[in-house]
């Protein structure tokens, strides 16, 4: 039994898809969520810089919030590499997403979409190769620059995002995938548009639920689950405008977002 909170972070609002799944599956756990909205998007940045941002955030979660586990709710940060701090275990969204996509695909034709940083890092290509050593999967990867910015503006269903999606998703449509892995935690907020463009028979896989299940298993295995009945406490932190985070965050995640604390990271 361990009363310490779980830390989650993302460049902004995307990780809220993972936070939602964690709150639903593990309602008794305390959470601390950091949205680095002051420095989003991470996708076009050099991976080395994203790694430094992630290191700053994990250090803060461990030193100031004494988290017992860290969930990297950002594919780009996970692709850049996040080191454990002071022995606190770190889990990411990439491997759980790959597992869920492999389970969902019948034809073996799988698409992955993500930020430029994630797709060009080869993290998904490597993770599929490990999880599917016999090579059953025919993988089509496409970077989707611009999607994250639409979500951060709260524009999840406009004509402009539809036109962009038609252009960026053309390679996965052409490859006739039966499963599309949303390899960026912002993209589930665009699921209706994406589904409209790729065809509603294509299964969209978000890594959020699978990551929450992995977290639950890990907490149980390591004896770190809170194990106390009653709802956990949630702390929300943003490096950008806190009132925007609260307003848009409540729309995207729900009423659990109450007070939002500000944070000004040192230049990294
Ligand atoms: N949600 C982040 C991810 O999963 C978005 C990165 C960005 O800010 O570009 O990659």
């Amino acid at each position: 039994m361990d009363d310490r909170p779980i830390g989650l972070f993302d460049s902004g609002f995307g990780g809220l898809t993972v936070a939602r799944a964690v709150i639903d599956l593990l309602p008794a756990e305390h959470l601390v969520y950091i949205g680095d909205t002051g420095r989003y998007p991470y996708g076009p940045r050099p991976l080395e810089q994203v790694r430094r941002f992630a290191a700053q955030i994990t250090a803060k979660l461990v030193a100031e919030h004494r988290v017992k586990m860290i969930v990297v709710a950002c594919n780009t940060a996970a692709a850049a590499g996040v080191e454990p701090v002071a022995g606190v275990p770190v889990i990411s969204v990439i491997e759980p997403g790959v597992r869920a996509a492999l389970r969902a695909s019948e034809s073996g034709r799988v698409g992955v979409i993500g930020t430029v940083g994630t797709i060009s890092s080869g993290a998904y290509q490597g993770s599929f190769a490990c999880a599917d050593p016999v090579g059953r999967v025919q993988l089509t990867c496409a970077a989707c620059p611009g999607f994250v910015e639409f979500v951060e503006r709260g524009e999840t269903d406009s004509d402009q995002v539809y036109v962009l999606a038609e252009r960026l998703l053309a390679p996965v449509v052409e490859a006739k995938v039966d499963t599309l892995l949303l390899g960026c935690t912002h993209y589930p907020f665009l699921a209706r548009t994406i589904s409209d463009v790729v065809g509603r028979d294509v299964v969209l896989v978000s890594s959020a639920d699978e990551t929450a299940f992995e977290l639950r298993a890990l907490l149980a295995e390591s004896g770190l689950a809170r194990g106390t009945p009653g709802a956990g406490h949630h702390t929300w932190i943003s490096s950008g405008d806190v009132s925007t985070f609260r307003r848009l965050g409540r729309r995207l995640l729900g009423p659990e977002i109450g007070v939002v604390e500000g944070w000004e990271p040192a230049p990294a």
Side-chain angles (χ1 to χ4, degrees):
M1 216 167 102
D2 191 319
D3 221 27
R4 290 175 300 163
I6 295 161
L8 293 97
F9 74 94
D10 178 49
S11 65
F13 294 98
L16 296 181
T17 53
V18 183
R20 177 74 269 161
V22 171
I23 292 171
D24 290 342
L25 193 69
L26 301 164
E29 292 293 340
H30 301 311
L31 304 185
V32 180
Y33 181 94
I34 298 184
D36 200 0
T37 42
R39 300 188 292 194
Y40 96 94
Y42 280 5
R45 293 181 183 274
L47 289 180
E48 182 45 46
Q49 187 182 37
V50 174
R51 204 173 302 137
R52 287 198 300 275
F53 290 174
Q56 257 183 332
I57 294 170
T58 52
K60 176 178 171 71
L61 286 169
V62 171
E64 295 174 27
H65 299 277
R66 296 184 55 252
V67 297
K68 59 185 172 188
M69 207 165 281
I70 291 174
V71 180
V72 184
C74 174
N75 291 265
T76 313
V82 179
E83 296 297 324
V85 180
V88 174
V90 174
I91 70 167
S92 106
V93 283
I94 293 184
E95 291 76 18
V98 168
R99 268 201 311 274
L102 286 173
R103 260 202 321 267
S105 177
E106 285 179 6
S107 69
R109 289 190 303 277
V110 176
V112 180
I113 54 173
T115 65
V116 169
T118 299
I119 298 300
S120 63
S121 74
Y124 271 102
Q125 294 87 328
S127 189
F128 269 99
C130 285
D132 168 45
V134 292
R136 182 182 81 90
V137 167
Q138 232 178 293
L139 197 63
T140 304
C141 296
C144 295
F147 275 10
V148 166
E149 288 85 337
F150 275 105
V151 174
E152 292 283 325
R153 287 199 298 271
E155 205 180 317
T156 49
D157 195 16
S158 65
D159 290 348
Q160 284 82 354
V161 74
Y162 188 91
V163 169
L164 181 66
E166 273 189 313
R167 181 163 61 77
L168 297 174
L169 299 173
V172 296
V173 173
E174 219 156 277
K176 296 189 172 30
V177 302
D178 71 355
T179 302
L180 181 61
L181 175 52
L182 307 179
C184 169
T185 52
H186 281 73
Y187 296 176
F189 293 126
L190 302 175
R192 270 179 293 275
T193 301
I194 293 170
S195 185
D196 220 7
V197 170
V198 298
R200 290 197 295 282
D201 48 338
V202 174
V203 179
L204 300 189
V205 174
S206 147
S207 48
D209 285 331
E210 190 71 14
T211 303
F213 282 121
E214 177 164 328
L215 176 64
R216 183 176 70 175
L218 212 62
L219 289 171
E221 254 165 47
S222 50
L224 291 176
R226 180 157 173 249
T228 311
H233 177 265
H234 309 138
T235 301
W236 308 98
I237 299 166
S238 165
S239 61
D241 183 66
V242 290
S243 57
T244 304
F245 192 92
R246 183 169 191 276
R247 182 182 45 76
L248 187 52
R250 283 171 76 87
R251 198 187 106 195
L252 296 172
L253 177 127
E256 286 86 350
I257 299 190
V259 174
V260 178
E261 295 172 23
W263 173 48
E264 238 181 84

